[in-house]
Every structure is written in structure tokens, then in C-alpha cells.
Amino acid sequence: MNRFTTIILICLASLLSFASNSHKEVVIEGKVLGFSDKSAQIITAIDCNPWSHGSLRHAVKIDSSGNFRTFVNIPFGHNFTIYYDRTYFCQYAEPGDSIYMVIDTNNLKSGANYSGTRGKFNNEYGKAYAKLFNTFFADVPPSGQMNKDEYLEFFKKIHFKNLENISHYADSVGMGDDSRDLLVQSALFSLANSALDHEDETPEKVLSFFNESIFGLDDEDNLKEMMFPTHLKAYLWRLKDVVKPDSIIQMVEAIQSRHPKSLNRDIMLAICLKDMIWDCELPDLNRDLFYNEEIYDLIYRQSDKEEALPEITDAQGSIYEWNNGKAIASEYSNISELLAKEYAGKIVYLDLWATWCGPCLIANQSLSEVANFFKEDDIVFVSVAMRSDFEKWKKHASERPANCKDYFIKNEDDTALIMSGYKMNGFPAFRIIGRDSKIINSNPPRPNSPIIYDTLSEILK
């Protein structure tokens, strides 16, 4: 996983009661200074609920005066990001908050100015994070196999150096204790994200590193920092290597036996059920297994029910298509309109990806193989590259079979609209579109999953 795609930050006090505050919107309003028709026109607020494949991005068009209004849904107080013009702005909110932010196009890297709920805290934290985030990666632990104790020594040495940098900065600007504490958590789990590829002699030794006390897997306070679930996910993959489960149930039992009933364990269970690769449907778990049963409801509410293709109403740039060995501008600027009109009456397997994304490239290696398997069937494989290198995309497109159709989204604002409309929480993302141009599966198997063939064959019936 690319560490820069996991940026989500901030929290102030103790977590609020999930049950009494769940699903409340945080309203975000603001103004972009120096805004013009040459500026990026779209701003995106990003949800960060680790148990959901739902709508994580809320993209809106900025009006001609530079004003915008959007929202996020958060179940408890934590940090999240606003994305504008290739820049992330980090802030904290609790359910029901209202945030007002001012972004200066001439000074994006310094962070935003905040008012509204928790304005003082967000001004302290947001500016500190913008200033120090890159320093968290100035040094990273060595790659490759290393004894756990030696590796942990390297890790802690770098972490303590980051803490010194935070302390010097915080003292120089008079940061409050709450914003300073969260910045420490951000530094820890940013660095932990650099250790995701750590290897050792045995799976048990690797697991013991990710379960070190410094990471506090059962510490609910860590949920303030939204890189923490990324570390939980890394831990669970190592746990899977140790347990070697024959089923999801065995993995659930392993989590249950090692961790007390808590919101942290709920998130581990959600990651296990929704983000890890299983060649079967979700098991029928008891609802009372969860500390907060609403998370159970959210997990099992994810569905394959039909839904209309999203409206992409403000698309501005060209869509390029690969046609007879050449990249040409499509007559469409709206990807949903393209899918509905060009492939009406067909089953469409939609691949939304990026040329820099490692998991995307792994899945892409199998896409042509799957397409060849179904070359006699009434199904088309549509691959849409975004935020990508144009030349690299053309190379991939040139190697596809006939029933693979490749498109390239060049406009950054259009990419933001597509990611929001198609409820993407990152790359890659896959959808299956039925003959009536409705999405019939919002989370199908990837091309490199062995069950992709059975899934598509069943739909073709």
C-alpha cells in the first residue's frame, strides 16, 4: 500500500459514544483564496471508516467566488482529510461538528486556516502536520529480512528522532498538549506504515513486531489516528500467516481469543471480514460478538443490490480511449454516460485503477487472462486509468485482448468526481454493471481472485 494514500488524521478528546453519535455528518464549508477558472475546480472530503466499502469521498464543485460546502460522515471523533489540487489538508472533527476552512492557492503546503468547531485545535494541528509530515519519512527502517530485536531498535531510534522534532516545533510555536499528543500518534503510525514489508525468519517473529506494546493494538486512544487501522490490517495479515486458517471463522476465532471485546477488536473483525481476501461469502456471525453492534450492521449492510450509475455532472476534460493501436479523444466526457450508451445490453466488468498502484498492477496482470476466458460471452472488460502516467497507460492498453476496452481520465477534477460518484476509497476499485446499465455488484472479486470465473459465469446465466 502506498503510504501517501493512507493519510487521515486527528482527534482531540476521548472518543464519543458511538451508539449515541453514529452517522452524524460533519459539515465543511470554506473558501479558496486566489481561485480562478485556471484553478482546480473540485474539492473532496474523505470519510475514513475502516469497516465500510461505502461512499468515502464527497467531491463538490467550487463556485465562481471560491466558496464550497461538503461533508463527511464519522461515527466517532477522529481525523480525516480534505483533498484539493494534489494537496491533503488534515483536520479533526466529532459527529455533528461544523468546520470552516480557508485555503490559499498561493500557499497550499502551509495548511488551511480554520474556524468553527475546534478551530484553534485544527489550526495548531493542521499547520504542524503540513510542516512536519514529510520529516516523518526522512528516515525509515531498513528493508528486507532482519531480526525482530534489531529491527525494533532501528524503528524506535527513528521514532524518538521524530519525537524530538515534534517537541522542538511544538515548543517553538506554543502548541497545546492535545494537538501535540495527536501529532506524536501521527508520527508513530506514519513510521509504522513504512514498516509494512518487514520480514523475519518466521511468521511468528514478524507477528511479534506488529504486536509490540509501542503500537497499543488494544488501546482505544489510538483510534484518534486514522493510520492506526492500516497497522491493524498489517498485523492481521501476519496473524493469518501464523494461524493459517481454513476459513474466515478460524480467523475470527483467532482475533477473538487474542483481543478483548472493544471498538479496536470490532475494527479488526471488520478488516478481516471485508478487506482480507476470502473465496467465500461472509459467515453468519452473532451480532453480540461486536462491542458496538452497529458496526456489525454496517458490515452486513454492504450489499450487491442494484443501483444506478452515478451522475458525473461537472466533468470537463476529455476521456481518451485506446482504439486500433492509438489513443484518441472520446466523444464522451462523462464516464457513466459512456458506459450506459456504449455497452448497453452487455455485462460490464469495470476496473478503476492507476498506473502507479502496486495492487492495481497485480490485478491488471490477470485481467487479460480473464477477458480471454470469456471472449465468446456477452461481457466486456472496461479498464479506466486515473491519476496515471499517459505513456504507461498506453503500453498496458496495447497488450489487451479485443474484449478489453481501455480509457484514460486526464483531468484531475474529473478523477475526483468519478472517485466520489463511484464510492471509491482508493485504487483499485471494481464494479460489475448489468445489462440494464445498473451496478449489480459494488465489490466483486478482483481479476486475480480464483472465484472471479465462477462469479462472472453465474451472472452471465
Side-chain angles (χ1 to χ4, degrees):
M1 179 180 290
N2 186 310
R3 60 176 176 253
F4 293 101
T5 65
T6 60
I7 310 170
I8 302 181
L9 299 160
I10 277 190
C11 191
L12 178 56
S14 300
L15 295 177
L16 296 182
S17 165
F18 184 98
S20 62
N21 293 289
S22 60
H23 313 306
K24 288 187 178 179
E25 287 185 356
V26 172
V27 176
I28 304 151
E29 297 180 284
K31 187 175 183 65
V32 178
L33 301 179
F35 183 77
S36 71
D37 57 1
K38 295 181 180 179
S39 304
Q41 303 292 302
I42 303 296
I43 191 164
T44 305
I46 306 173
D47 289 358
C48 48
N49 300 335
W51 49 78
S52 174
H53 284 305
S55 178
L56 298 180
R57 293 172 182 263
H58 309 280
V60 294
K61 189 173 183 179
I62 302 167
D63 72 18
S64 58
S65 298
N67 299 308
F68 62 88
R69 189 177 193 275
T70 184
F71 69 95
V72 292
N73 287 308
I74 62 174
F76 52 80
H78 62 64
N79 50 1
F80 66 96
T81 54
I82 302 283
Y83 181 80
Y84 176 71
D85 196 11
R86 299 182 181 272
T87 304
Y88 286 97
F89 300 90
C90 304
Q91 49 280 306
Y92 163 80
E94 294 177 2
D97 279 1
S98 295
I99 293 175
Y100 190 88
M101 60 190 299
V102 177
I103 297 170
D104 186 350
T105 57
N106 295 315
N107 200 14
L108 293 172
K109 299 301 180 184
S110 66
N113 288 313
Y114 296 90
S115 57
T117 317
R118 275 167 276 278
K120 181 179 183 296
F121 178 82
N122 281 328
N123 275 319
E124 285 189 353
Y125 181 82
K127 287 180 171 54
Y129 190 80
K131 177 77 173 178
L132 296 178
F133 177 72
N134 286 334
T135 69
F136 298 160
F137 301 104
D139 299 303
V140 295
S143 59
Q145 183 173 307
M146 178 178 286
N147 174 271
K148 177 239 179 173
D149 292 334
E150 294 178 2
Y151 191 80
L152 186 61
E153 183 179 348
F154 270 101
F155 185 92
K156 289 184 175 180
K157 182 178 180 181
I158 298 168
H159 179 55
F160 292 145
K161 180 180 178 181
N162 286 338
L163 296 187
E164 288 181 1
N165 290 336
I166 290 172
S167 181
H168 290 154
Y169 175 87
D171 290 343
S172 69
V173 299
M175 281 183 73
D177 291 340
D178 290 330
S179 51
R180 184 191 298 231
D181 289 346
L182 184 60
L183 198 60
V184 169
Q185 286 178 304
S186 299
L188 172 62
F189 290 107
S190 297
L191 184 60
N193 202 31
S194 300
L196 297 182
D197 296 326
H198 169 55
E199 299 175 2
D200 205 332
E201 293 178 352
T202 67
E204 287 79 9
K205 289 184 177 180
V206 180
L207 178 67
S208 68
F209 168 77
F210 285 94
N211 196 25
E212 269 293 315
S213 59
I214 190 174
F215 299 122
L217 298 190
D218 299 314
D219 184 356
E220 228 175 74
D221 195 55
N222 280 331
L223 293 173
K224 298 173 182 177
E225 168 51 55
M226 286 307 292
M227 285 188 184
F228 178 58
T230 301
H231 186 81
L232 291 181
K233 185 173 182 178
Y235 161 76
L236 290 174
W237 277 109
R238 275 63 181 192
L239 179 61
K240 188 178 181 184
D241 290 340
V242 170
V243 174
K244 295 181 173 59
D246 294 327
S247 66
I248 304 179
I249 292 295
Q250 288 184 10
M251 191 65 184
V252 168
E253 290 172 346
I255 295 170
Q256 188 178 5
S257 67
R258 287 169 168 81
H259 300 280
K261 194 173 186 179
S262 65
L263 189 56
N264 294 46
R265 193 179 80 176
D266 286 356
I267 291 175
M268 291 187 211
L269 291 171
I271 291 170
C272 173
L273 294 169
K274 300 195 72 172
D275 285 348
M276 303 184 81
I277 299 171
W278 302 100
D279 296 335
C280 59
E281 296 182 354
L282 292 181
D284 187 17
L285 299 180
N286 290 326
R287 193 167 182 264
D288 62 6
L289 177 65
F290 286 76
Y291 171 79
N292 190 290
E293 296 180 1
E294 290 190 28
I295 295 180
Y296 174 92
D297 296 337
L298 288 168
I299 293 170
Y300 282 84
R301 192 180 300 155
Q302 184 206 345
S303 65
D304 298 332
K305 67 180 181 181
E306 291 189 8
E307 55 182 308
L309 290 173
E311 295 184 11
I312 311 295
T313 56
D314 294 311
Q316 298 176 359
S318 296
I319 298 175
Y320 286 85
E321 63 178 87
W322 189 255
N323 193 317
N324 293 324
K326 294 181 180 180
I328 63 174
S330 169
E331 63 180 287
Y332 300 97
S333 61
N334 184 319
I335 192 66
S336 291
E337 183 184 5
L338 184 156
L339 291 168
K341 291 186 177 180
E342 291 294 310
Y343 305 110
K346 292 183 178 293
I347 301 295
V348 175
Y349 183 88
L350 179 62
D351 171 20
L352 302 161
W353 69 295
T355 57
W356 47 263
C357 163
C360 300
L361 296 174
I362 292 173
N364 261 261
Q365 290 174 359
S366 300
L367 187 65
S368 295
E369 178 184 345
V370 177
N372 273 322
F373 182 88
F374 290 101
K375 64 183 178 181
E376 303 298 330
D377 295 288
D378 196 20
I379 182 171
V380 62
F381 295 82
V382 175
S383 180
V384 181
M386 298 178 281
R387 290 183 184 160
S388 294
D389 182 280
F390 194 57
E391 295 303 318
K392 290 181 179 178
W393 168 74
K394 289 195 292 185
K395 183 178 186 302
H396 280 279
S398 67
E399 298 170 351
R400 305 284 200 196
N403 61 338
C404 271
K405 306 298 181 182
D406 281 86
Y407 298 92
F408 186 92
I409 307 298
K410 197 167 187 178
N411 185 282
E412 172 67 18
D413 286 339
D414 291 352
T415 293
L417 292 169
I418 292 169
M419 294 186 74
S420 176
Y422 281 82
K423 303 179 182 179
M424 294 174 60
N425 60 359
F427 296 102
F430 304 92
R431 307 287 185 266
I432 297 178
I433 301 169
R435 301 182 193 279
D436 58 356
S437 297
K438 290 184 178 180
I439 296 174
I440 59 175
N441 192 325
S442 295
N443 189 36
R446 297 185 179 191
N448 53 321
S449 169
I451 63 171
I452 183 66
Y453 298 96
D454 289 340
T455 299
L456 295 180
S457 296
E458 185 64 27
I459 290 173
L460 284 167
K461 289 180 182 178

